[in-house]
Amino acid sequence: MSKVSISACGLCKFSQSDDSVESIMIDAVKALFSDCPEFSKDDVDTFLVSTNDHSKYLGAIISESVGIFPQTAHTVEHLCSSGTNAIVSAYSYIKSDLANAVVVVGADKFDNPGLILDWDLSRSQYTHPKFWASIFTHAYKEKYNITQKDLATIPVKNHKQAQHNPYAQSTETYSIDDVLNSKSITDDLNLLDCSRSCTGSCAVLLLSENLAKSLHQKPVWITGIGQKTHSAGFTKIKDLTKPNSIISAGQSAFTMAKKDPRCVDVAEVHDAFSVFEPLIVENLGLTDYGNGMSYCHTLLDTEDNKINPRGGLLGAGHPLGATGVSQVAEITLQLQGRATSRQVDNPTVGLVHNMSAAATSSTVLVLET
Amino acid sequence: MSKVSISACGLCKFSQSDDSVESIMIDAVKALFSDCPEFSKDDVDTFLVSTNDHSKYLGAIISESVGIFPQTAHTVEHLCSSGTNAIVSAYSYIKSDLANAVVVVGADKFDNPGLILDWDLSRSQYTHPKFWASIFTHAYKEKYNITQKDLATIPVKNHKQAQHNPYAQSTETYSIDDVLNSKSITDDLNLLDCSRSCTGSCAVLLLSENLAKSLHQKPVWITGIGQKTHSAGFTKIKDLTKPNSIISAGQSAFTMAKKDPRCVDVAEVHDAFSVFEPLIVENLGLTDYGNGMSYCHTLLDTEDNKINPRGGLLGAGHPLGATGVSQVAEITLQLQGRATSRQVDNPTVGLVHNMSAAATSSTVLVLET
């Protein structure tokens, strides 16, 4: 079977703009083809849209709008991990010989549906993600004797890193005190511990091995894929410091890639709230359990931006359907050596972790040059 | 690469019920596992939902509700052909070794979004499908000198066939006069020329070759796949009697299956309105251009139910996200010899044609025993 590459990326600025989902998707696809001008739109077989928007038939509407006439087109929705779900699906079309070239474009607006878990009636009025994030944070702090000040490291680090990402929503750096003094949301969460939903889009081009090798951009191969949907509501997660979906998806991805987690040179992990960066790096095995917080402290102290170099969700913003696509785009740029002033030193193994709805489902991808 | 089978089907009655999309999806998956009691839910790797419903995260919600904990789960949307898009995606997960077993469940409610093409501003207030159906019908009548009475053959035949389908919405047969005397919608369309959106769900189980051979149900192999998204609006279709998406998807599917269209023993084609049955059989090459209407006349006269044996969309009803899944389920049952009183004689080659939005996109599948 052909290997599958990610070869080109179309990035757009994340913001609070009121532009329509359709228009920002078109912008991202235009940016994608500017990134690989020698690749013809006529060679795109499959066009996948990732969004939580209520619009229908966007696969046809957006592809027609940008001059692509694919065989397969449709929308993929799985809340905050819609983007990586669409990318895994794109991989499967190529791997199964149904396609040689797939465009995936993800986008959502700041006020799009998907943010609120309104189906989970067990939450009563506590449907906003801040409530579950607070419960996870409390559990993690208690288990590992972590303070709110410790956790403030994450937004400080990721907003700082975002300043090297021209597409990030964040335009400011913050101190530990800034985070601690930002509006108190709950006893375990300040405003700057939370990523912001925003308006954003991103596109990537996946190619079969032969096509990938014909482009001037260095191919980045998808070598590991792991996915797990554990449940719909997080009340089924037995240990909130060890969400099953993260562990399971990580193990599957590393097994498929035949890689040890400690080989990862650069990673995007789903830091929707501060606690998730140390929690995820532990559960993926990038560090031992209980060491996630000190691992992140060291990163900040040593100015090592290997985790969430584009600023993560905290710094770059979180336009739900675009998030997974932009995580994959970032790791692609890093592995291609095209990440400008945020470039990590010579990475060869990259990782993406994208999740939905209080870590009830996760996708992990291993990418390699 | 492993062959991919459809091995089991979960059917539910199509109706005008007000049941929620979630509850009818759960019903269909329960029916699916009743159809293959020896297959364990623990072995389901991927769970795909096909719907136009606005609900989010249904892949996780429905799988959790029925006791399935998949790796991959998400929703696929592409209007009326969401169902076959999800099935093609399921095929690709198995073919690419990401999965061995995939559940696809499709459902929509009678009042769900997706019916109205409200993005196409060129239509002004004429957003309802009846307007484009009328334009297609007019073009076909004029080109081939077809009368409204000729076209009435289709609903007469398909409502008659639906009486042998216990899951069909239709409970009545109609005469040619009944169709001609039903409410006039436009000069080219009477009420009984139109399929009805309804509440319905259907599920199918796709398996890898090894798993398929271990079940007691006869495997039905997917041997041909063709898809084409021509545009988003039908104003780009140059000849309304020869929609490009149908021709292109059909040719791709028959080429992949290495079959001649005349080999097809039983077919489900997307008869959303009367004109589409003769138009589609012509464009797929089941008969010559211009002979579609006489072909269908002969079927009615000879009581041959090889086209749309379950009653098609006209007889069975059209719950958008479920339609493609139920078409595939019908051809599977026919090829397995399990179609009870509507069984076609010993079919070995089956076909499904499912389309969206005025034939702007189509999926064609060739299924074989």
Side-chain angles (χ1 to χ4, degrees), chain A residues 249-271:
Chain A
Q251 286 174 347
S252 298
F254 287 118
T255 300
M256 180 172 160
K258 301 191 180 83
K259 287 282 173 218
D260 186 280
R262 309 286 164 124
C263 294
V264 169
D265 299 312
V266 59
E268 283 282 325
V269 302
H270 195 103
D271 59 330

Side-chain angles (χ1 to χ4, degrees), chain B residues 188-357:
Chain B
D188 298 293
L189 219 54
N190 293 307
L191 186 62
L192 284 168
D193 288 310
C194 311
S195 63
R196 285 173 76 190
S197 64
C198 64
T199 300
S201 62
C202 190
V204 292
L205 177 67
L206 286 88
L207 297 177
S208 64
E209 190 168 356
N210 283 344
L211 280 181
K213 288 179 175 169
S214 73
L215 286 205
H216 79 281
Q217 304 287 21
K218 190 172 170 181
V220 169
W221 307 109
I222 300 177
T223 59
I225 294 175
Q227 298 192 290
K228 186 66 191 175
T229 292
H230 175 260
S231 54
F234 76 96
T235 45
K236 293 212 175 154
I237 300 176
K238 283 183 189 159
D239 180 346
L240 292 179
T241 67
K242 296 181 178 177
N244 171 278
S245 82
I246 304 173
I247 297 169
S248 175
Q251 286 174 348
S252 299
F254 287 119
T255 300
M256 179 173 161
K258 302 191 181 85
K259 286 283 173 223
D260 185 279
R262 309 286 163 124
C263 294
V264 169
D265 298 313
V266 59
E268 283 282 324
V269 301
H270 196 102
D271 60 329
F273 298 90
S274 297
V275 72
F276 283 105
E277 186 167 305
L279 187 152
I280 294 165
V281 297
E282 284 178 17
N283 280 286
L284 292 177
L286 274 57
T287 182
D288 291 338
Y289 277 112
N291 286 351
M293 198 62 252
S294 61
Y295 178 85
C296 295
H297 272 304
T298 306
L299 293 175
L300 179 63
D301 292 345
T302 59
E303 300 197 329
D304 183 343
N305 69 338
K306 69 178 283 186
I307 305 293
N308 287 326
R310 74 184 176 110
L313 283 60
L314 286 165
H318 184 23
L320 311 187
T323 286
V325 185
S326 60
Q327 291 179 307
V328 170
E330 175 65 13
I331 299 303
T332 301
L333 293 172
Q334 290 284 349
L335 293 173
Q336 290 176 326
R338 299 202 287 148
T340 63
S341 67
R342 66 188 185 281
Q343 180 67 49
V344 171
D345 275 353
N346 297 315
T348 59
V349 180
L351 176 137
V352 169
H353 167 266
N354 185 201
M355 70 186 193
S356 287

Side-chain angles (χ1 to χ4, degrees), chain A residues 69-137:
Chain A
F69 303 96
Q71 293 163 26
T72 305
H74 63 242
T75 298
V76 169
E77 181 278 314
H78 198 60
L79 287 180
C80 304
S81 57
S82 302
T84 48
N85 268 58
I87 286 169
V88 172
S89 186
Y91 168 97
S92 75
Y93 282 106
I94 294 173
K95 202 79 179 173
S96 62
D97 284 343
L98 288 180
N100 285 304
V102 184
V103 168
V104 175
V105 58
D108 266 305
K109 265 188 70 177
F110 68 91
D111 59 352
N112 260 15
L115 182 68
I116 301 298
L117 313 182
D118 55 5
W119 70 84
D120 190 349
L121 303 179
S122 68
R123 296 163 194 252
S124 182
Q125 73 269 43
Y126 306 110
T127 52
H128 195 281
K130 66 189 177 189
F131 295 110
W132 58 254
S134 189
I135 296 168
F136 274 87
T137 306

